């Protein structure tokens, strides 16, 4: 445990004790990530060790996003990672008794593993995986779509470690008729109804069997932070982040498309055929979102920079394209009339975001916007205006813009 | 100093009367808060006693119907889920129906009209078009 981590852990224990107005018994042996129930509605910045510039969208359930400039790190630290909760974070987490059960119509036999078995019996793999909320950018849709009004910061790329889901499924043994996997977690429904799941989504079996699809127990080399799924999270990078179930204790292998909460109806679905803004779309005409679309963000400088005439401006950021790689990133300083290319790095592994940068010369003083747009390996580019309207406000990958003044 | 004719003593007596009256007002207020906010939850079979959550009026625009909205709409989720959203009356009604069908929201009875009137008035959509101008830019000098 490094010094900073130690400090953070101690700080949060002190905070807990202060807020509860009492000393915490056994504070030293309190497992990482565990929070007393009394804590579930306290200051989220302290509770989840988040940067003060993170933006709180909702406090019940917890939903918080980054601002573009906070995401400048190549690997997103926990303090700058967006939080998306559908229900209540589990209150009493005991790592020593945590188990994961693999069940469903398409397993040879149901099997349960302790956390310790998952960590020791299977090979550990690490990947940088981009997780973006399907509703990132929802705030721009017109007519508006209900839900958390994410702007640009519901995306992250951390380094996740754990076992491959594929290795787990091979150990359990699955039938040829498997088409989908679904997860269940220990978070609880907002209404308090124990018979309702806050969310239970999943991915097609082909995605489940990919090398990068993990049952993760570490993020950035540490136990997964509480808000991000401690102690166990399914991580399926490139898909809507809701497919990466948190606090999971069960995986089901299905002989049909998983029909858990928020897999059906209109949730995480878009119209199969494009519709006019504001159209009503029946459930039958909505299709499940799989790979997220190509997108990029400018993480430096922060929007609003004033620079002296004649100075070259360095810009940098990240680009990603769901299941695909990004082939190029361009920028424009004249509202999309002309585009110049940025330099773009290869991904450190498949499904990791790629870093771009360039130097910009501005021709004269005045107000500018720097726009960035990425192109995926198949030639699809980000649009400059909003892409197809959809009832739930998903998949807004319109190009990111920052404002610059040259004086 | 202890003589009642002392003007300082009169001021002190006057102050103690004022404090008593203020105290009574605060007490009455607490009873009112209990009656309006807390009591309905204790009678609800949806929310158990250990899960009583104080209605959250924080951030809800001042206006007729605010308390009814707070009482009915912030038991499961916070007021922030309301204040960050915009919809037409029909849109808000659809959200209520969805919550009733899938999220254990109770029947709202006569309160539904009050709630919809409030939401329609204070949280109506604004036209945004296909892309808005960049807004709320915080200008700063970028260091070299």
């Amino acid at each position: 445990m490094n010094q900073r981590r130690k400090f953070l852990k101690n700080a949060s224990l002190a905070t807990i004790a202060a807020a509860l107005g009492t000393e915490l018994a056994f504070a030293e042996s309190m497992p990482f990530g565990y929070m007393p129930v009394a804590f579930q509605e306290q200051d989220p910045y302290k509770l989840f060790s988040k940067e003060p510039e993170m933006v709180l969208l909702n406090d019940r359930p917890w939903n918080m996003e980054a601002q573009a400039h906070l995401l400048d790190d190549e690997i997103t630290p926990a303090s700058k990672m967006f939080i998306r909760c559908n229900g209540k974070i589990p209150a009493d987490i005991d790592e020593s008794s945590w188990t994961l059960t693999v069940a469903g119509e398409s397993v040879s036999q149901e099997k349960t593993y302790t956390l310790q078995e998952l960590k020791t019996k299977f090979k550990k793999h690490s990947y940088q995986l981009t997780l973006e909320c399907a509703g990132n950018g929802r705030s721009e849709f017109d007519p508006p779509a209900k839900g958390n009004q994410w702007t640009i910061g519901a995306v992250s790329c951390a380094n996740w470690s754990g076992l491959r889901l594929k290795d787990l499924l091979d150990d359990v043994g699955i039938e040829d008729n498997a088409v989908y996997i679904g997860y269940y977690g220990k978070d609880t429904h907002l209404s308090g109804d124990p018979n309702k799941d806050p969310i239970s989504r999943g991915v097609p079996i082909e995605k489940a069997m990919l090398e990068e699809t993990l049952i993760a127990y570490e993020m950035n080399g540490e136990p997964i932070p509480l808000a991000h799924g401690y102690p166990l999270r399914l991580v399926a990078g490139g898909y809507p982040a809701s497919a990466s179930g948190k606090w999971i204790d069960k995986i089901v292998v299905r002989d049909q498309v998983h029909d858990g909460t928020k897999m059906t109806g209109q949730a995480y679905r878009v119209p199969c055929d494009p519709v006019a803004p504001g159209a009503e779309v029946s459930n039958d005409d909505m299709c499940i979102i799989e790979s997220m679309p190509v997108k990029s963000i400018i993480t430096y400088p922060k929007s609003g920079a004033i620079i002296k005439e004649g100075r070259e401006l360095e810009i940098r950021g990240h680009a990603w394209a769901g299941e695909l790689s990004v082939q190029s990133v361009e920028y424009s300083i004249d509202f999309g009339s002309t585009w110049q290319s940025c330099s773009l790095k290869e991904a450190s592994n498949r499904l990791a975001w790629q870093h771009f940068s360039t130097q910009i010369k501005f021709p004269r003083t005045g107000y500018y916007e720097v726009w960035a747009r990425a192109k995926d390996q198949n030639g699809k580019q980000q649009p400059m205006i909003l892409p197809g309207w959809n009832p739930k406000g998903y998949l807004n990958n319109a190009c990111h813009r920052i404002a610059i003044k040259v004086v | 100093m202890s003589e009642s004719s002392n003007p300082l003593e009169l001021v002190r007596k006057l102050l103690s009367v004022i404090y008593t009256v203020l105290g009574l007002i605060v007490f009455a207020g607490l009873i009112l808060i209990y009656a309006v906010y807390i009591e309905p939850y204790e009678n609800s079979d949806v929310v158990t006693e250990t899960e009583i959550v104080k209605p959250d009026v924080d951030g809800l625009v001042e206006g007729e119907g605010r308390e009814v909205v707070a009482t009915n709409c912030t038991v499961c989720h916070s007021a922030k889920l309301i204040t960050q959203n915009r919809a037409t009356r029909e849109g808000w009604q659809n959200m209520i129906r969805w919550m009733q069908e899938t999220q254990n929201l109770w029947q709202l009875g006569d309160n539904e009209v009050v709630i919809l009137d409030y939401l329609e008035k204070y949280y109506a959509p604004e036209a945004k078009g296909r892309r808005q101008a960049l807004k709320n830019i915080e200008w700063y000098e970028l260091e070299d």
Side-chain angles (χ1 to χ4, degrees):
Chain A
M1 188 183 281
N2 65 34
Q3 286 306 309
R4 184 178 140 75
R5 180 100 230 158
K6 242 181 209 163
F7 168 76
L8 284 175
K9 187 180 174 190
N10 292 339
S12 68
L13 286 174
T15 315
I16 292 169
L20 291 175
T22 171
E23 284 287 308
L24 277 171
F26 310 117
E28 278 312 301
S29 57
M30 196 157 90
F32 173 84
Y34 174 77
M35 287 290 162
V37 182
F39 243 73
Q40 292 225 349
E41 286 197 282
Q42 300 296 324
D43 180 355
Y45 295 89
K46 288 180 186 157
L47 178 55
F48 303 123
S49 299
K50 294 292 175 185
E51 290 281 324
E53 286 185 287
M54 295 287 287
V55 180
L56 183 67
L57 298 184
N58 202 341
D59 46 11
R60 199 153 38 88
W62 293 115
N63 284 282
M64 189 186 266
E65 72 170 329
Q67 303 184 53
H69 69 278
L70 293 178
L71 295 171
D72 197 36
D73 302 85
E74 295 201 339
I75 296 174
T76 312
S79 62
K80 298 168 182 174
M81 178 179 274
F82 76 99
I83 299 175
R84 199 289 185 247
C85 292
N86 289 266
K88 296 178 189 171
I89 293 176
D92 303 302
I93 295 173
D94 178 9
E95 192 176 312
S96 64
S97 63
W98 195 278
T99 58
L100 179 70
T101 298
V102 185
E105 304 98 348
S106 298
V107 292
S108 311
Q109 92 281 6
E110 193 173 307
K111 214 165 167 182
T112 296
Y113 301 83
T114 65
L115 199 56
Q116 196 55 28
E117 283 172 327
L118 294 176
K119 287 179 181 177
T120 53
K121 197 176 169 184
F122 298 93
K123 188 167 188 290
K124 181 177 174 181
H125 297 272
S126 296
Y127 297 102
Q128 292 173 29
L129 298 168
T130 309
L131 292 183
E132 183 182 16
C133 176
N136 197 20
R138 174 179 293 138
S139 62
E140 287 196 280
F141 281 103
D142 179 22
K146 72 163 180 163
N148 287 294
Q149 298 297 304
W150 306 102
T151 63
I152 191 83
V155 62
S156 66
C157 185
N159 190 31
W160 294 90
S161 304
L163 60 147
R164 286 180 176 146
L165 176 56
K166 174 185 186 303
D167 291 348
L168 181 71
L169 297 182
D170 285 346
D171 191 67
V172 172
I174 61 169
E175 307 289 337
D176 291 342
N177 62 357
V179 296
Y180 230 87
I181 67 103
Y183 66 77
Y184 291 89
K186 280 199 176 166
D187 44 343
T188 55
H189 197 264
L190 290 175
S191 67
D193 186 342
N195 298 316
K196 277 189 182 295
D197 297 312
I199 187 164
S200 168
R201 303 200 66 245
V203 296
I205 194 73
E206 296 76 21
K207 172 71 175 167
M209 299 305 273
L210 291 178
E211 290 187 350
E212 301 86 1
T213 304
L214 298 179
I215 301 289
Y217 42 79
E218 279 178 17
M219 188 184 101
N220 296 340
E222 311 258 6
I224 302 170
L226 178 66
H228 302 296
Y230 173 83
L232 214 50
R233 180 172 192 175
L234 172 64
V235 185
Y239 269 45
S242 58
S244 295
K246 301 193 275 186
W247 313 289
I248 57 167
D249 62 352
K250 191 177 187 182
I251 296 281
V252 285
V253 184
R254 306 293 312 268
D255 63 0
Q256 60 171 79
V257 174
H258 183 53
D259 53 0
T261 303
K262 303 212 176 184
M263 281 302 299
T264 58
Q266 309 242 322
Y268 299 104
R269 287 173 181 243
V270 290
C272 305
D273 298 319
V275 299
E280 270 193 41
V281 187
S282 73
N283 289 350
D284 290 343
D285 294 328
M286 298 284 276
C287 287
I288 299 171
I289 301 168
E290 294 188 344
S291 174
M292 292 294 287
V294 62
K295 196 164 174 177
S296 59
I297 46 169
I298 303 164
T299 58
Y300 181 89
K302 181 185 174 186
S303 186
I306 300 169
I307 60 167
K308 293 271 188 303
E309 189 181 9
R311 176 182 162 186
E312 275 201 1
L313 178 70
E314 183 196 356
I315 64 160
R316 56 177 182 258
H318 318 292
W320 62 97
E323 283 287 305
L324 304 176
S325 64
V326 176
Q327 61 163 282
S328 65
V329 176
E330 298 174 313
Y331 75 91
S332 174
I333 57 167
D334 54 13
F335 307 96
S337 300
T338 61
W339 294 86
Q340 284 74 39
S341 59
C342 298
S343 62
L344 177 68
K345 288 187 192 167
E346 295 281 312
S348 72
N349 54 256
R350 213 177 75 80
L351 311 182
W353 65 18
Q354 294 167 242
H355 317 296
F356 68 86
S357 62
T358 196
Q359 301 279 334
I360 301 179
K361 281 183 200 149
F362 293 89
R364 57 205 298 163
T365 57
Y367 171 87
Y368 292 88
E369 289 178 10
V370 179
W371 295 7
R373 69 172 183 190
K375 184 192 283 186
D376 72 23
Q377 67 188 63
N378 294 340
K380 273 198 181 176
Q381 256 174 324
Q382 289 180 256
M384 288 179 264
I385 57 168
L386 290 198
W389 184 91
N390 61 89
K392 298 275 288 177
Y394 296 125
L395 307 184
N396 176 5
N397 66 336
C399 70
H400 183 218
R401 306 169 293 169
I402 60 168
I404 302 288
K405 229 185 252 181
V406 181
V407 294
Chain B
M1 289 296 272
S2 63
E3 287 164 20
S4 60
S5 58
N6 187 322
L8 276 177
E9 185 65 18
L10 276 176
V11 168
R12 199 187 293 163
K13 276 190 175 167
L14 192 62
L15 277 176
S16 81
V17 170
I18 290 169
Y19 286 145
T20 310
V21 170
L22 280 176
L24 284 171
I25 289 171
V26 170
F27 183 65
L30 286 174
I31 288 178
L32 195 66
I33 288 168
Y34 176 82
V36 174
Y37 294 147
I38 313 293
E39 213 252 351
Y41 295 100
E42 291 185 340
N43 289 341
S44 155
D45 50 16
V46 177
V47 182
T48 63
E49 201 179 335
T50 51
E51 285 176 298
I52 291 169
V53 180
K54 265 187 266 164
D56 177 6
V57 290
D58 286 346
L60 285 171
V61 174
E62 191 77 61
E64 196 179 335
R66 182 172 79 156
E67 282 68 30
V68 179
V69 170
T71 307
N72 287 280
C73 308
T74 66
V75 177
C76 291
H77 59 73
S78 103
K80 285 186 165 58
L81 197 55
I82 302 166
T83 57
Q84 61 173 317
N85 275 282
R86 299 289 181 274
T88 59
R89 187 182 187 89
E90 191 193 3
W92 285 114
Q93 191 173 41
N94 288 342
M95 285 183 229
I96 288 172
R97 292 288 170 269
W98 174 79
M99 284 186 277
Q100 286 171 331
E101 284 161 21
T102 67
Q103 304 295 304
N104 290 354
L105 174 62
W106 47 84
Q107 294 302 312
L108 296 167
D110 296 341
N111 284 334
E112 184 168 306
V113 173
V114 180
I115 291 167
L116 287 174
D117 285 350
Y118 174 88
L119 294 172
E120 181 185 27
K121 183 169 178 185
Y122 298 108
Y123 295 98
E126 305 156 22
K128 287 185 282 197
R130 286 306 277 260
R131 203 90 215 245
Q132 287 186 295
L134 294 178
K135 290 185 299 190
N136 307 320
I137 301 163
E138 292 170 21
W139 294 104
Y140 66 98
E141 291 207 14
L142 184 65
E143 304 286 320
D144 283 315

